[in-house]
């Protein structure tokens, strides 16, 4: 599983100019099962996405296609972790530690 942390590198006006395309990109990734949750950080200086079911190379490719990245309005920090415990509603995403 991955935590994708976006940090805006441009004024919010430029971010807003690309927001519709970014949301469409998010919806595509939800539709294929890559994303679990996403939202704005508070204060609004970026966002956070939870991704699952892919490896790091795939996540890096997904992030590279984000319209925010293509427009140069954000950078990403990608953190991988093993979700060994979850809420019951997220049981399908529970992982085992590698042996």
């Amino acid at each position: 599983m991955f935590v994708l942390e976006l940090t805006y590198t441009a004024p919010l006006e430029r971010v807003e100019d690309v927001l519709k395309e970014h949301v469409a990109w998010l919806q595509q990734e939800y539709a294929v099962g890559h994303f679990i949750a996403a939202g704005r950080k508070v204060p609004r200086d970026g966002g956070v996405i939870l991704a699952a079911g892919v490896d790091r190379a795939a996540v890096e490719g997904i992030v590279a296609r984000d319209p925010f990245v293509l427009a140069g309005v954000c950078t990403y920090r990608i953190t991988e972790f093993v979700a060994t415990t979850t809420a019951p509603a997220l049981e399908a995403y529970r992982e085992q530690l590698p042996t």
Side-chain angles (χ1 to χ4, degrees), residues 11-12 16 22 28-29 33 36 41 51 54 56 61-62 64 66 68 75 81-82 84-86 89-90:
L12 281 178
E16 288 290 338
H22 173 75
Q28 290 173 353
E29 297 304 325
I36 299 170
K41 292 193 291 186
V54 291
R56 186 172 193 96
I62 291 165
D66 180 351
F68 279 176
T75 59
F81 73 102
V82 180
T84 55
T85 58
T86 64
L90 297 176

Side-chain angles (χ1 to χ4, degrees), residues 13-85:
E13 297 81 29
R14 285 197 47 220
V15 172
E16 288 290 338
D17 289 343
V18 191
L19 186 58
K20 184 176 179 180
E21 293 87 353
H22 173 75
V23 170
W25 168 81
L26 286 169
Q27 294 304 321
Q28 290 173 353
E29 297 304 325
Y30 279 117
V32 296
H34 295 156
F35 290 171
I36 299 170
R40 295 175 178 173
K41 292 193 291 186
V42 177
R44 188 177 176 198
D45 60 1
V48 175
I49 301 168
L50 295 181
V54 291
D55 61 26
R56 186 172 193 96
V59 166
E60 290 172 354
I62 291 165
V63 164
R65 293 187 300 274
D66 180 351
F68 279 176
V69 170
L70 297 174
V73 300
C74 86
T75 59
Y76 271 88
R77 177 177 175 211
I78 300 172
T79 304
E80 185 173 3
F81 73 102
V82 180
T84 55
T85 58

